[in-house]
Amino acid sequence: MRDWRTQVDDESYAQTSWVLAHGVRELIDPDPAITHPTLVMTCENDVGSTPAMTHAITEEIANATCVIVPEYKHLGLIEDPDAFTRPILNFLNTLD
């Protein structure tokens, strides 16, 4: 994990940190509105992308589906890829 993390370039890390500090403004009353079916996911114990944030984003997007992956924190996707793959595939299978 440490080796992977050290490969992130400084600019990307700085931009990601800014988003975490200030929020993803594009998802608050987006203009133009997001009209396509959308899956919004996070982990139950993620403190950087909280379930409350995920619910709020879901409410801003018509046709959005919210999934909160139980137990994990911010790196849940790395810890248990199947916990993410299953809901993503289920969501994709509902699309025409």
Side-chain angles (χ1 to χ4, degrees):
M1 180 60 68
R2 186 175 297 134
D3 290 342
W4 168 78
R5 177 58 196 93
T6 60
Q7 294 175 22
V8 175
D9 67 277
D10 293 340
E11 180 64 21
S12 295
Y13 185 78
Q15 289 179 8
T16 301
S17 296
W18 188 93
V19 167
L20 290 175
H22 296 95
V24 182
R25 295 181 180 150
E26 295 86 0
L27 296 177
I28 299 169
D29 194 24
D31 183 27
I34 298 170
T35 58
H36 297 288
T38 304
L39 176 62
V40 186
M41 295 180 70
T42 196
C43 293
E44 178 181 23
N45 298 306
D46 191 332
V47 297
S49 178
T50 67
M53 293 166 67
T54 302
H55 287 292
I57 291 167
T58 302
E59 290 173 13
E60 292 285 338
I61 303 170
N63 299 315
T65 300
C66 180
V67 172
I68 307 298
V69 178
E71 300 179 25
Y72 297 105
K73 294 183 180 182
H74 194 65
L75 297 178
L77 176 60
I78 293 170
E79 294 179 74
D80 186 358
D82 287 341
F84 285 79
T85 304
R86 283 188 304 274
I88 291 169
L89 290 175
N90 289 341
F91 175 77
L92 291 174
N93 285 328
T94 67
L95 304 178
D96 292 332

